[in-house]
């Protein structure tokens, strides 16, 4: 298998016209490779722009090289860096070459202008060029510094840009070729390829030639092939395309205050996850994560319409109420993902066509109007695998991320989160899942083994120790037992409309231990319009 440096040299020597495309970060580099290009141009213009600075060496060479490392790690095709003037004199170029080799970059192109450089399309004729002998010494130093014999250094000639004509371009090309340049890049700012073609006729293929047809892009590429050009660089089109798309999207979001209109024409989240390699991480987690967090998955119940929200839930369920432009359910799913839980199933019912967030496995409760939480849970439990711990939660609850690893790392088979500060929400006009436990909350119970004794909406106040927060962890080894007890419950008259605490009480009656973890706050159950307002600042 050839190295990246060998493959780049092969492109320079190919009898066919080769093409490489600009990228400016790891994501765009992967997009270039997936498009079928055999190489990547690490454009100085685009790298500067994505940092938000000018193409005047305002981004340091170390910042550029750090970004190149992400690009090289993300792809398997060779990268040539647009190295400007080499970021200084011969000594700076020597260090740059060594650092590029260490990061898996195949080539660097340096131009014969003065440091700090200015983009060639900004008053090029007023820009001074480097002394030929000084630039040749820089090329020799770069070649001497490389440890990989296949690493390439391309000399970029700015004579046409500076208005010095063909003779000066040829004089510099011959000197740079003699100094050891592996190829020359001849640049032109005209809207036609006349200067480039004149150079090619006079140069007569003495070494590979690279061009950048940014201004003369209307010239058919067959013309370059016939002229003997080795490599064409599409130098900035991806960056420019992304700027236009981002400007249009940002303006529309700001104008409309509504994301649904743009959502249909932008990449879905699932496509970004795919490019990032989310599937590979999921597979790696199954192989390498320790017991307790390995293969963790979540089951989110979001089948109900939600009452008391008026037009907000006329068509879509409560879980899809927008919170600062993002669905309530989407914020909960993102919290799971940030904690490494990427296998997520959602049980949907009312308005299921509107519950369409990416990267999720959906289970439908089409009888949502005549059934309760137990039926949705049963459908969900049949859809998940028994190969890792499962967290069951509601789609209308926001929560702080630390609760997820806390649940997963607790060794008990069945674990509930309970808010000991239940009295702070006791005046809400809604039913709550109150609990009686083996011990009330205290400093001693923080590290103790508190167990659920009973859960109900109508417990006597003096017996209440907290409110269940809507989170249950089920260890894989007890999942079949939970399914069995749940199926028995659903076979009984009237239980198809029951809530989850009915199952918890039955499990306790059957001798199962439901471990209780006490906390105070750190969650928000969205049950009213005032909760929707509070959710925006949660």
């Amino acid at each position: 298998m050839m190295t990246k440096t060998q493959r780049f040299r092969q492109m320079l020597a190919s009898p066919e016209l080769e093409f490489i495309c600009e990228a400016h970060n790891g994501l765009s580099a992967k997009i270039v490779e997936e498009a079928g290009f055999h190489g990547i141009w690490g454009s100085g213009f685009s790298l500067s722009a994505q940092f938000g600075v000018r193409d005047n060496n305002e981004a340091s060479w170390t910042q550029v090289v750090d970004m190149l490392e992400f690009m090289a790690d993300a792809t398997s095709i060779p990268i040539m860096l647009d190295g400007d003037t080499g970021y200084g004199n011969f000594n700076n170029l020597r260090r740059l070459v060594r650092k590029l080799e260490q990061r898996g970059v195949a080539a660097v192109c340096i131009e014969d202008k003065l440091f700090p450089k200015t983009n060639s399309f900004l008053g090029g004729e007023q820009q001074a060029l480097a002394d030929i002998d000084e630039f040749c010494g820089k090329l020799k130093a770069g070649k001497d510094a490389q440890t990989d014999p296949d690493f390439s250094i391309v000399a970029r000639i700015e004579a046409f840009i500076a208005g010095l004509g063909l003779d000066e371009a040829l004089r510099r090309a011959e000197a740079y070729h003699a100094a050891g340049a592996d190829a020359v890049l001849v640049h032109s700012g005209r809207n036609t390829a006349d200067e480039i073609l004149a150079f090619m006729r006079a140069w007569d293929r003495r070494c590979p030639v690279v061009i950048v047809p940014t201004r003369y892009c209307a010239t058919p590429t067959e013309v370059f092939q016939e002229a003997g050009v080795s490599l064409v660089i599409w130098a900035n089109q991806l960056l420019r395309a992304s700027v236009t798309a981002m400007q249009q999207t940002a303006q529309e979001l700001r104008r409309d205050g509504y994301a649904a209109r743009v959502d249909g024409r932008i990449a879905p989240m699932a496509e970004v996850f795919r490019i990032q390699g989310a599937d590979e991480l999921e597979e790696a987690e199954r192989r390498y994560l320790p017991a307790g967090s390995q293969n963790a998955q979540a089951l989110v119940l979001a089948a109900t319409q939600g009452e008391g929200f008026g037009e907000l839930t006329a068509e879509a369920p409560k879980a899809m109420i927008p919170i600062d432009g993002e669905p309530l359910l989407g914020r909960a799913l993102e919290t799971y993902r940030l904690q490494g839980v990427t296998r997520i199933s959602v049980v949907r019912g009312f308005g299921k066509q509107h519950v369409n967030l990416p990267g999720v496995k959906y289970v439908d409760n089409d009888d949502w109007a005549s059934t309760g939480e137990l039926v949705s849970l049963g459908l969900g439990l049949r859809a998940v695998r028994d190969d890792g711990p499962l967290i069951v939660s509601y789609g209308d609850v926001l929560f702080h991320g630390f609760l997820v690893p806390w649940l997963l790392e607790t060794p008990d088979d069945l674990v509930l989160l309970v808010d000991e500060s239940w009295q702070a929400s006791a005046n809400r006009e809604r039913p709550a899942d109150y609990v009686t436990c083996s011990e009330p909350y205290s400093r001693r119970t923080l590290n103790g083994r508190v167990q659920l004794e009973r859960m109900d909406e109508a417990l006597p106040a003096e017996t209440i120790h907290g409110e269940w927060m809507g989170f249950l962890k089920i260890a894989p080894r007890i999942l079949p037992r939970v399914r069995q007890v749940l199926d028995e419950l659903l076979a009984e008259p009237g239980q198809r409309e029951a809530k989850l605490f009915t199952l918890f009480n039955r499990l306790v009656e059957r001798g199962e231990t439901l471990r209780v973890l006490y906390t105070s706050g750190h969650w928000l159950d969205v049950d009213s319009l005032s909760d929707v307002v509070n959710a925006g600042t949660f």
Side-chain angles (χ1 to χ4, degrees):
M1 182 179 294
M2 290 193 297
T3 64
K4 290 181 179 181
T5 54
Q6 290 170 336
R7 277 182 281 162
F8 186 80
R9 278 190 175 270
Q10 186 181 60
M11 294 177 71
L12 289 178
S14 172
E16 300 298 324
L17 185 63
E18 298 280 353
F19 297 86
I20 64 175
C21 184
E22 165 263 323
H24 44 275
N25 53 30
L27 186 69
S28 59
K30 294 195 76 166
I31 289 172
V32 167
E33 180 173 17
E34 288 188 352
F37 284 96
H38 296 158
I40 295 168
W41 171 245
S43 162
F45 167 77
S46 298
L47 286 163
S48 298
Q50 61 89 31
F51 283 124
V53 300
R54 291 168 289 229
D55 188 20
N56 292 73
N57 292 130
E58 292 184 358
S60 71
W61 72 268
T62 56
Q63 291 172 316
V64 170
V65 170
D66 284 346
M67 184 60 74
L68 263 288
E69 183 174 11
F70 280 102
M71 294 165 62
D73 286 347
T75 54
S76 62
I77 57 177
I79 298 172
M80 176 164 64
L81 169 65
D82 175 7
D84 294 337
T85 63
Y87 303 100
N89 67 7
F90 76 93
N91 192 44
N92 301 87
L93 180 61
R94 291 194 301 180
R95 184 164 176 78
L96 175 65
V97 167
R98 290 195 294 268
K99 292 302 178 183
L100 292 177
E101 285 188 317
Q102 291 169 9
R103 285 160 172 79
V105 177
V108 65
C109 176
I110 60 169
E111 60 193 75
D112 56 355
K113 289 195 295 196
L114 301 180
F115 178 84
K117 59 78 58 90
T118 299
N119 189 283
S120 299
F121 297 136
L122 292 175
E125 292 191 0
Q126 286 75 51
Q127 298 178 31
L129 299 189
D131 175 79
I132 291 180
D133 291 337
E134 184 272 334
F135 193 74
C136 286
K138 187 183 293 187
L139 289 169
K140 292 175 183 177
K143 294 302 295 180
D144 288 342
Q146 70 186 64
T147 59
D148 181 347
D150 295 310
F151 184 86
S152 297
I153 298 181
V154 177
R156 173 167 154 176
I157 301 162
E158 294 283 295
F160 288 140
I161 295 293
L164 301 180
L166 177 60
D167 289 343
E168 181 67 12
L170 290 168
R171 188 164 74 95
R172 287 175 176 267
E174 188 58 53
Y176 302 161
H177 176 42
D182 300 293
V184 294
L185 187 157
V186 59
H187 203 18
S188 174
R190 292 189 178 178
N191 293 328
T192 68
D194 294 348
E195 289 181 329
I196 300 299
L197 297 177
F199 177 89
M200 294 304 300
R201 286 191 294 269
W203 184 243
D204 196 25
R205 308 185 188 226
R206 277 174 272 181
C207 78
V209 176
V210 183
I211 63 170
V212 186
T214 299
R215 288 277 176 86
Y216 51 95
C217 57
T219 304
T221 54
E222 293 83 357
V223 173
F224 304 139
Q225 169 81 49
E226 294 172 2
V229 172
S230 296
L231 187 67
V232 171
I233 299 174
W234 303 124
N236 45 52
Q237 284 79 6
L238 293 195
L239 186 281
R240 290 157 57 197
S242 67
V243 168
T244 300
M246 287 191 290
Q247 286 174 332
Q248 293 174 347
T249 302
Q251 290 165 5
E252 191 165 342
L253 288 171
R254 180 66 183 90
R255 182 184 65 246
D256 298 342
Y258 186 57
R261 187 172 289 107
V262 304
D263 199 62
R265 67 168 189 267
I266 61 178
M269 291 289 290
E271 174 62 5
V272 180
F273 293 146
R274 184 194 66 79
I275 297 173
Q276 291 172 313
D279 289 347
E280 190 280 333
L281 177 59
E282 183 176 324
E283 176 61 29
E285 287 172 343
R286 285 195 286 270
R287 291 197 305 270
Y288 303 127
L289 284 179
S293 60
Q294 186 178 12
N295 299 332
Q297 51 191 328
L299 174 62
V300 182
L301 308 183
T304 59
Q305 177 179 7
E307 299 177 355
F309 292 92
E311 290 298 316
L312 287 178
T313 57
E315 296 182 0
K318 177 170 59 169
M320 297 302 289
I321 290 176
I323 307 296
D324 285 345
E326 181 180 6
L328 176 60
L329 176 61
R331 294 186 64 173
L333 299 185
E334 183 65 14
T335 304
Y336 273 124
R337 291 185 178 115
L338 288 172
Q339 298 301 322
V341 179
T342 57
R343 290 198 300 161
I344 304 174
S345 300
V346 172
V347 180
R348 57 187 182 179
F350 171 77
K352 66 180 183 180
Q353 69 274 19
H354 298 287
V355 186
N356 54 5
L357 299 174
V360 175
K361 177 180 180 180
Y362 289 106
V363 181
D364 293 340
N365 179 3
D366 292 324
D367 296 327
W368 64 270
S370 60
T371 61
E373 297 169 355
L374 285 188
V375 171
S376 290
L377 177 63
L379 292 169
L381 291 185
R382 283 195 289 273
V384 300
R385 300 202 299 253
D386 296 6
D387 60 350
L390 172 70
I391 298 178
V392 178
S393 65
Y394 291 125
D396 60 354
V397 174
L398 297 179
F399 54 97
H400 289 164
F402 79 90
L403 298 173
V404 174
W406 192 23
L407 276 169
L408 294 174
E409 292 166 9
T410 301
D412 300 72
D413 289 340
L414 296 167
V415 185
L416 300 167
L417 284 177
V418 170
D419 188 352
E420 59 86 18
S421 59
W422 63 275
Q423 291 172 312
S425 60
N427 293 326
R428 292 182 179 179
E429 295 181 359
R430 63 170 180 83
D433 296 325
Y434 296 121
V435 300
T436 299
C437 302
S438 57
E439 294 183 61
Y441 169 79
S442 68
R443 288 181 178 271
R444 187 168 62 85
T445 59
L446 288 176
N447 296 314
R449 302 191 61 80
V450 179
Q451 300 176 21
L452 176 73
E453 292 188 347
R454 185 160 184 81
M455 184 184 301
D456 207 310
E457 295 174 348
L459 291 176
E462 64 272 14
T463 68
I464 296 176
H465 293 148
E467 178 184 353
W468 180 51
M469 296 161 57
F471 292 84
L472 165 70
K473 186 201 85 170
I474 307 175
R477 76 177 191 90
I478 203 170
L479 191 51
R481 172 65 172 161
V482 174
R483 290 193 186 103
Q484 176 191 358
V485 175
L486 177 56
D487 289 342
E488 293 173 0
L489 260 178
L490 291 175
E492 298 175 7
Q495 297 290 15
R496 291 180 62 81
E497 298 179 18
K499 297 190 67 176
L500 292 190
F501 65 74
T502 306
L503 172 64
F504 303 158
N505 292 333
R506 180 64 59 88
L507 287 167
V508 171
E509 293 168 5
R510 296 289 179 86
E512 302 295 342
T513 298
L514 275 71
R515 169 80 179 277
V516 168
L517 299 179
Y518 279 123
T519 184
S520 183
H522 304 296
W523 68 301
L524 177 64
D525 186 5
V526 179
D527 266 334
S528 65
L529 291 174
S530 62
D531 291 334
V532 173
V533 175
N534 293 333
T537 57
F538 179 79

